[in-house]
């Protein structure tokens, strides 16, 4: 960045100061250092001031807790009625979010931001309701205490010895437009407690001995002041950026939390959040996935940890690997991480030391190898340690029995080889067996195999035989190196096995994505695509899948796979909400989590194109972190494929509209030009007969009557062609297949066209023994008439026109030949398009350009085909009609 760039306002900061590109409600939080400091009182006081300034204020929910001063401030403010919710035999009063959204006040008062809504509500938490109000453009005043912030949960618990269960993500407070600290000194707050302004006498006395001790209140006050200072600092930085005020910008810290399966304590993540906030730095939560992490239980635990990290605002990353420490440090160097956070090594006493000796302490190795990286070691909370001690370990004996059998088999082979080989060579049989155990069963069974192999080697092959005593010193050295080699081989084999398991798993996922992409690519039918997508997703994720799309404004199920459980009314309600708000809803999400199904909009650049629903029978988290990533990838590919098909449909519709407009224009041109010509002749002849009939004489009147008749017939042909084309396009053309003598039909067509062909010599050539063909004689005659009419228009007078009928092996052939200009280098197939005429049409008799199109439609309706070409023997055009004979037609 050049120095000049610092003189320019930051667009992002300007957008934040102006509320973004779209109207979003402003959030003001009254942050209390402790319960009873007067947050609700201050919120209601500010609301009265806003109402006096003309702002429409409405109370969504306010908890007075029986305090008279607070209740007095509620009067004079409009209040939205709460919504009763039945829960465990009681009726709870919850804020009516839908009514608030419908009334759309300018300012809504929502007390107790960290409140948990009763089951059956739209959102499980009240802060989620507040986000909906802000998204609707409604300003919100709300209250929350410092102990409800998610990142401070562990700190508050260690200070007050009370674990707060209702928490608010830090991002909600960080994104607030204003934060007003409501604070009292510990002495003033304790005096309010003694005066009964917070709790009753009995409750107040007990609270003052525990939570409301002077030391606790002082610590809570400091935390509230620090949080407010961070908020003010962030606002100051935004102000400096928006106004291009030069200042000292930080070099840029970056925090990484190294998370493993042993780190089941959420305090590690919360510490990482607090550290990142203090440093004003982004932070990453890294999980190195090894073969131990591929079980369902491990995936569920890690999914829970990753979900908490995301709610705290971290960037979560999962990478495959074998050595957690080396892979984590490589990632940290690649991402320019400056601070690493790790958990304290698990275990205590000799168990903890044994884990460190065996290389099981990730934190110890991380500290030893982290050259240049400060490592923050976070103590584990008592709650996490207790929960870990309660976990039941279910060892499996089958790997150890299998490894024992393999070592015994190697012993038998070694006993056979001892007859002809030295002892040092016989030991290779045990090493081979140990490698096999490591590859087949992993590290610990291979260590057992190493110990068992060493004992067998000593007992059966080192003198004195059949005892564990070693006589010669060189045999001690041999046995020692044998055991060391066995341990190294078992460790290497276990590492190869672990890497192979992880690589195979990743390869399966990659292959699944490739197969899915290849399957849906190129599909042109939406139904086929949706069915294939639902089948593939159900197979890959082992769940039930439904896909929904809107039809006439109503969301409907388009396809489903293995849907043994119907969506139900509550599921459709959640799906409609997810589609309307373009947000994830349902099981495991922050919106309508009580629904059995999880609904995810499939989005593209144009917006949502479909809605995906998934469900499975097992309890707990619906998807782990890897499955969620896989679902996101599949969803993106599906959305792109659906949009491609929809775009193709839109393109076809546009082309059809363009073609319709072209045909409409051609039809209007034809009506305005070609049909007006015979009408003008008819009107002229009729007016002449009316005005000058007596003066014209018999011959003059005969000529005018002949003109009237000819032009009326011509007009009738034009109108008839339009009607015939309409019937062809509507599929309403009546057909009757009867045995027809085509020679008679051709003669009848020539007779009808006699007036049109009076300037030409016409010849009808009929082959002998012409077969009878089942056709519609009316349609055949009209088709021949239209072709003869076309020949009369485009050929010069006194040129011959020939109609030739013959029979081939399987077809009856009718050829109409003329000696006109022909088609030259132009494509004759273009003639059969509607409203199409060659340039010569401007110098010949007018026409609609429908005659040949109608002829082709009639011929194809009767099962035949028509072609046009230049004559091979001379100049001229040739139209050929082919109809299958009776045997083939049947």
């Amino acid at each position: 960045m050049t120095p000049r760039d610092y003189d320019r306002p930051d667009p992002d900061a300007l957008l934040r100061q102006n509320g973004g590109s779209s109207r979003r409600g402003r959030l003001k939080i009254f942050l209390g250092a402790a319960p009873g400091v007067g947050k609700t009182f201050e919120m209601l006081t500010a609301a009265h001031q806003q109402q006096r300034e003309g702002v429409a204020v409405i109370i969504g929910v306010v908890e007075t807790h029986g305090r008279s001063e607070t209740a007095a401030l509620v009067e004079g403010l409009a209040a939205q009625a709460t919504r009763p919710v039945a829960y465990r035999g009681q009726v709870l009063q919850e804020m009516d979010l839908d009514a608030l959204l419908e009334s759309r006040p300018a300012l809504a008062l929502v007390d107790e931001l960290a409140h948990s809504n009763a089951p059956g509500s739209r959102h499980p938490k009240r802060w989620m309701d507040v986000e909906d109000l802000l998204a609707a453009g409604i300003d919100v005043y709300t209250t929350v205490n410092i102990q409800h912030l998610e990142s401070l949960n562990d700190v508050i618990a260690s200070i007050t010895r009370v674990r707060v269960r209702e928490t608010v993500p830090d991002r909600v407070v960080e994104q607030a437009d204003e934060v007003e600290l409501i604070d009292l000194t510990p002495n003033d707050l304790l005096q309010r407690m003694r005066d009964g302004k917070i709790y009753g006498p009995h409750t107040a006395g007990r609270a003052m001995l525990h939570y409301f001790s002077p030391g606790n209140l002082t610590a809570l006050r400091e935390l509230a002041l620090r949080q407010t200072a961070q908020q003010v600092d962030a606002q100051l930085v935004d102000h400096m950026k928006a106004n291009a005020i030069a200042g000292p910008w930080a070099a840029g810290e970056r925090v990484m939390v190294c998370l493993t399966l042993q780190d089941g304590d959420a305090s590690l993540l919360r510490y990482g959040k607090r550290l990142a906030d203090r440093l004003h730095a982004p932070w990453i939560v890294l999980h190195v996935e090894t073969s131990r992490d591929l079980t369902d239980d491990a995936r569920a635990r890690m999914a829970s940890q990753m979900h908490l990290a995301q709610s705290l605002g971290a960037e979560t990353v999962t990478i495959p690997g074998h050595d957690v420490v080396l892979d984590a440090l490589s990632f940290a160097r690649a991402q320019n991480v400056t601070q690493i956070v790790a958990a304290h090594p698990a275990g205590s006493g000799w168990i903890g030391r044994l884990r460190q000796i065996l290389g099981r302490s990730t934190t110890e190795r991380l500290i030893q190898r982290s050259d240049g990286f400060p490592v923050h070691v976070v103590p584990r909370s008592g709650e996490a340690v207790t929960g870990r001690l309660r976990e039941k370990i279910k060892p499996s004996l089958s790997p150890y029995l299998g490894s024992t059998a393999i070592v015994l088999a190697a012993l038998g082979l070694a006993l056979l080889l001892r007859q002809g080989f030295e002892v040092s060579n016989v030991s290779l049989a045990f090493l081979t067996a140990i490698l096999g155990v490591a590859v087949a069963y992993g590290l610990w069974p291979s260590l057992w195999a190493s110990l068992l192999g060493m004992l067998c080697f000593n007992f059966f092959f080192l003198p004195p035989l059949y005892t564990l005593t070693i006589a010669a010193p060189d045999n001690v050295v041999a046995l020692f190196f044998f055991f060391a080699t066995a341990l190294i081989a078992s460790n290497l084999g276990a590492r190869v096995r672990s890497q192979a398991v992880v690589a195979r798993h990743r390869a399966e996922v990659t292959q699944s994505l490739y197969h899915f992409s290849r399957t849906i690519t190129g599909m042109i039918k939406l139904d086929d695509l949706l069915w294939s997508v639902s089948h593939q997703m159900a197979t890959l994720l082992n769940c039930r899948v439904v896909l929904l799309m809107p039809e006439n404004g109503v969301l409907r199920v388009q396809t489903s796979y293995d849907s043994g459980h119907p969506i139900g009314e509550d599921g459709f309600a959640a799906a409609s909400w997810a589609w309307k708000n373009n947000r994830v809803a349902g099981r495991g999400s922050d919106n309508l989590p009580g629904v059995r199904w999880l609904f995810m909009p499939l989005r593209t650049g144009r917006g949502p194109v479909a809605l995906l629903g998934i469900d499975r029978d097992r309890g707990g988290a619906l998807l782990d972190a890897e499955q969620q990533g896989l679902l996101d990838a599949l969803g993106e590919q599906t959305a792109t494929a659906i949009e491609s098909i929809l775009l193709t449909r839109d393109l076809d519709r546009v082309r059809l509209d363009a073609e319709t407009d072209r045909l409409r224009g051609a039809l209007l041109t034809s009506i305005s030009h070609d049909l007006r010509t015979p009408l003008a002749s008819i009107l002229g002849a009729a007016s002449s007969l009316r005005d000058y009939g007596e003066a014209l004489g018999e011959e003059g009147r005969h000529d005018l009557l002949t003109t009237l008749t000819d032009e009326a017939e011509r007009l009738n042909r034009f109108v008839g062609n339009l009607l015939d084309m309409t019937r062809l396009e509507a599929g309403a053309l009546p057909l009757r297949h009867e045995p027809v003598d085509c020679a008679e039909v051709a003669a009848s067509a020539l007779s009808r066209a006699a007036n049109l062909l009076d300037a030409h010599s016409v010849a009808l050539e009929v082959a002998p023994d012409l077969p009878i063909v089942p056709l519609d004689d009316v349609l055949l005659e009209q088709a021949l008439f239209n072709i003869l009419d076309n020949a009369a228009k485009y050929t010069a007078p006194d040129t011959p026109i020939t109609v030739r009928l013959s029979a081939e092996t399987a077809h009856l052939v009718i050829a109409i030949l003329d000696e006109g200009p022909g088609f030259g280098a132009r494509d004759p197939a273009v003639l059969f398009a509607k409203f199409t005429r060659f340039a010569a049409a401007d110098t010949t008799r007018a026409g609609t350009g429908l005659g040949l199109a109608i002829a082709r439609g009639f011929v194809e309706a009767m099962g035949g085909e028509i072609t046009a070409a230049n004559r091979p023997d001379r100049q001229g055009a040739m139209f050929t009609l082919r109809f299958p004979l009776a045997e083939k037609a049947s």
Side-chain angles (χ1 to χ4, degrees), residues 3 223 230 305 582 749 819 851:
L223 289 174
Q230 291 178 9
Q305 294 296 312
N582 194 18
E819 296 184 8

Side-chain angles (χ1 to χ4, degrees), residues 122-447:
R122 178 188 293 188
H123 301 301
K125 296 289 187 178
R126 184 169 289 171
W127 61 264
M128 299 177 184
D129 298 337
V130 169
E131 287 190 332
D132 281 0
L133 293 174
L134 296 174
I138 301 172
D139 295 343
V140 177
Y141 281 1
T142 187
T143 65
V144 70
N145 286 326
I146 190 64
Q147 69 261 28
H148 293 293
L149 264 67
E150 177 65 46
S151 64
L152 297 177
N153 190 268
D154 294 320
V155 177
I156 300 295
S158 64
I159 293 174
T160 63
R161 301 296 188 270
V162 176
R163 174 74 64 176
V164 178
R165 300 300 178 186
E166 292 183 327
T167 59
V168 175
D170 290 49
R171 64 175 178 82
V172 178
V173 180
E174 292 168 357
Q175 294 172 0
D177 299 279
E178 294 182 61
V179 176
E180 182 175 339
L181 177 63
I182 310 301
D183 184 27
L184 284 177
T185 63
N187 291 334
D188 290 342
L189 186 58
L190 291 174
Q191 186 61 45
R192 283 176 54 84
M193 185 77 70
R194 298 186 191 98
D195 295 340
K197 295 182 178 180
I198 301 177
Y199 300 130
H202 177 70
T203 306
R206 191 171 51 187
M208 292 173 65
L209 293 176
H210 298 90
Y211 191 90
F212 284 83
S213 65
N216 289 352
L217 294 178
T218 301
L220 292 174
R221 189 183 185 197
E222 181 180 357
L223 289 174
L225 290 170
R226 288 181 179 274
Q227 180 66 34
T228 309
Q230 291 178 9
Q231 189 77 12
V232 172
D233 183 67
Q235 293 175 354
L236 176 62
V237 171
D238 269 354
H239 174 75
M240 296 174 65
K241 291 182 178 180
N243 294 277
I245 301 174
W249 310 111
E253 297 281 351
R254 195 172 183 85
V255 178
M256 185 185 78
V257 177
C258 187
L259 188 65
T260 65
L261 278 178
Q262 289 76 28
D263 306 327
D265 187 4
S267 61
L268 179 68
L269 299 175
R270 291 168 179 149
Y271 180 87
K273 166 65 175 175
R274 295 195 300 272
L275 177 62
D277 288 344
R278 287 197 298 269
L279 297 175
H280 301 286
W283 64 300
I284 304 171
V285 174
L286 174 68
H287 169 54
V288 180
E289 186 180 63
T290 62
S291 59
R292 296 177 299 157
D293 307 332
L294 300 180
T295 62
D296 292 339
D297 180 65
R299 287 176 180 274
R301 290 169 57 193
M302 189 53 60
S304 175
Q305 294 296 312
M306 287 298 194
H307 181 74
L308 176 60
Q310 291 172 354
S311 67
L312 291 173
E315 176 188 355
T316 57
V317 179
T318 300
I319 61 174
H322 171 72
D323 192 311
V324 175
V325 172
L326 295 181
D327 294 330
L329 290 175
S330 298
F331 179 84
R333 292 188 178 93
Q335 298 296 321
N336 196 26
V337 169
T338 59
Q339 309 271 352
I340 297 178
V341 178
H344 191 277
S348 59
W350 68 271
I351 297 179
R353 299 309 303 171
L354 180 61
R355 289 170 60 89
Q356 296 177 21
I357 293 172
L358 295 177
R360 300 286 290 172
S361 174
T362 302
T363 306
E364 288 281 346
R365 296 182 58 233
L366 186 64
I367 294 174
Q368 294 172 0
R369 293 179 175 269
S370 59
D371 296 335
F373 289 105
V375 179
H376 300 255
V377 180
V378 181
R380 301 172 185 269
S381 66
E383 179 182 356
V385 174
T386 303
R388 188 176 299 105
L389 292 176
R390 290 176 180 175
E391 293 181 358
K392 295 182 179 180
I393 302 175
K394 299 180 180 179
S396 176
L397 295 178
S398 57
Y400 297 93
L401 295 177
S403 60
T404 302
I406 294 176
V407 173
L408 293 179
L411 174 61
L413 178 62
L415 291 174
L416 294 176
L417 295 176
R418 184 174 60 177
Q419 307 301 326
F421 296 92
E422 296 181 0
V423 173
S424 58
N425 295 328
V426 170
S427 63
L428 296 177
F430 290 100
L431 294 178
T432 304
I434 293 169
L435 279 174
V437 170
V439 173
Y441 299 114
L443 178 62
W444 290 102
S446 66
L447 294 178

